[in-house]
Amino acid sequence: MTASDTPLLLIEDVVKRFGGLTAVDHVSFTVKSNSITGLIGPNGAGKSTLFNCITGIVQPDSGTIQLDGVKIQEKSPNQIAQHGLGRTFQTPKIFRGMSVRENLAFAAPVQHGERPVSTLIHPQKIKEEETAVQSRVEDTLEFLSLDHLADEYASGLSGGQRKLLELGRVLMLDPDLILLDEPMAGVNPALTNELLDRLHELTNRGRTILLIEHDMDLIMNHCDRVVVLHNGQTLASGSPSLVQDDERVIEAYLGDVIDE
Ligand SMILES: Nc1ncnc2c1ncn2[C@@H]1O[C@H](COP(=O)(O)OP(=O)(O)OP(=O)(O)O)[C@@H](O)[C@H]1O
Ligand SMILES: [Mg+2]
């Protein structure tokens, strides 16, 4: 295997139980650099729990998770973030009482200036850091077409705009791998297309995306690879067309509809 074949993310035999319930049940798959991978599956399949395992919010009971060749499953969420992983949540985590611009600035990595002693010792360095953060905020506003909303309170944004802002907060950390939990849910079609455009642009810029999504058309049209979870297990994985025709996948989704 050459270096370029090494997956950016490796999930191997990961298990997470909540009491008697096995939410993630021996899941294995890999995510290649510069790709968009879709993680799909019916409600309760274990998708968000797997994201929580990858980001260190919950500890898997067993299995291996490697980011860029480094085992991350015993690290804290902060250490994992510093190692190049960013994520959004199913319900956006933004500060409603702050403006869009402030939300982005606040998401920047911890600065010297936030420590009182450093402020006294390195005033010039702190000024430079502040300027760098400001310029990153402006770039992010422009990248996500949020410039016109920069001074609005986050509480005044639509659901879709909040999702964009949450993505912006993740981008402030400049992660290599970005995990998105249903970023298009409740987002209008125009904004969804805008968001998809940005995701493709991010992969062009060397970033890698793992995306939870329920919209099959969107997954089939925009993902390089798809992983299907069902009852905590990997039901299928491969190219969108391969997964789409997989009998087990069709059955899992039809079963879900009939159950409702
Ligand atoms: N903290 C927790 N404590 C107990 N059970 C949990 C916890 N988190 C998730 N679960 C259970 O684990 C299973 C998987 O949940 P999870 O949220 O990962 O599913 P999901 O695939 O993200 O579903 P959805 O599409 O509805 O978001 C569900 O049965 C859920 O009730
Ligand atoms: Mg979920």
Side-chain angles (χ1 to χ4, degrees), residues 74-141:
E74 271 137 36
K75 296 188 191 291
S76 70
N78 259 341
Q79 288 171 322
I80 296 171
Q82 275 165 17
H83 198 65
L85 190 137
R87 77 160 301 174
T88 65
F89 288 84
Q90 210 161 338
T91 311
K93 299 222 182 295
I94 53 174
F95 296 101
R96 300 168 66 92
M98 282 187 190
S99 71
V100 167
R101 183 179 270 118
E102 286 164 346
N103 259 284
L104 291 176
F106 207 66
V110 174
Q111 303 293 308
H112 275 96
E114 289 171 18
R115 300 185 205 110
V117 178
S118 334
T119 319
L120 296 172
I121 303 172
H122 312 286
Q124 182 57 32
K125 193 159 175 52
I126 286 149
K127 225 177 163 56
E128 281 166 20
E129 276 176 356
E130 277 172 10
T131 313
V133 169
Q134 275 164 17
S135 126
R136 198 162 176 78
V137 166
E138 297 311 314
D139 288 350
T140 306
L141 286 169

Side-chain angles (χ1 to χ4, degrees), residues 70-238:
V70 175
K71 216 167 135 180
I72 55 169
Q73 78 259 29
E74 271 137 36
K75 296 188 191 291
S76 70
N78 259 341
Q79 288 171 322
I80 296 171
Q82 275 165 17
H83 198 65
L85 190 137
R87 77 160 301 174
T88 65
F89 288 84
Q90 210 161 338
T91 311
K93 299 222 182 295
I94 53 174
F95 296 101
R96 300 168 66 92
M98 282 187 190
S99 71
V100 167
R101 183 179 270 118
E102 286 164 346
N103 259 284
L104 291 176
F106 207 66
V110 174
Q111 303 293 308
H112 275 96
E114 289 171 18
R115 300 185 205 110
V117 178
S118 334
T119 319
L120 296 172
I121 303 172
H122 312 286
Q124 182 57 32
K125 193 159 175 52
I126 286 149
K127 225 177 163 56
E128 281 166 20
E129 276 176 356
E130 277 172 10
T131 313
V133 169
Q134 275 164 17
S135 126
R136 198 162 176 78
V137 166
E138 297 311 314
D139 288 350
T140 306
L141 286 169
E142 194 189 332
F143 180 69
L144 295 175
S145 305
L146 284 170
D147 347 32
H148 63 295
L149 297 168
D151 298 315
E152 298 287 325
Y153 279 115
S155 56
L157 302 182
S158 71
Q161 290 165 339
R162 278 181 206 174
K163 296 222 164 188
L164 271 180
L165 175 57
E166 204 200 15
L167 175 60
R169 285 175 51 80
V170 170
L171 295 182
M172 287 299 293
L173 299 165
D174 201 15
D176 298 318
L177 175 64
I178 305 169
L179 271 49
L180 303 171
D181 198 343
E182 301 195 27
M184 327 290 179
V187 179
N188 72 47
L191 214 50
T192 294
N193 284 333
E194 170 82 29
L195 196 55
L196 284 165
D197 240 35
R198 299 299 85 195
L199 298 188
H200 285 293
E201 176 60 25
L202 283 168
T203 59
N204 291 338
R205 295 182 183 190
R207 304 295 178 274
T208 304
I209 289 161
L210 177 62
L211 171 77
I212 295 176
E213 184 52 59
H214 282 290
D215 183 331
M216 281 294 226
D217 282 344
L218 190 154
I219 287 283
M220 296 304 156
N221 291 325
H222 293 275
C223 291
D224 303 297
R225 257 182 111 244
V226 183
V227 176
V228 189
L229 286 190
H230 184 48
N231 292 334
Q233 298 179 336
T234 328
L235 192 62
S237 65

Side-chain angles (χ1 to χ4, degrees), residues 18 21-24 41-50 52 58 90 181-182 212 214 229:
F18 295 112
L21 175 90
T22 308
V24 178
N43 293 121
K47 305 178 298 291
S48 295
T49 304
L50 184 61
N52 288 341
V58 304
Q90 210 161 338
D181 198 343
E182 301 195 27
I212 295 176
H214 282 290
L229 286 190

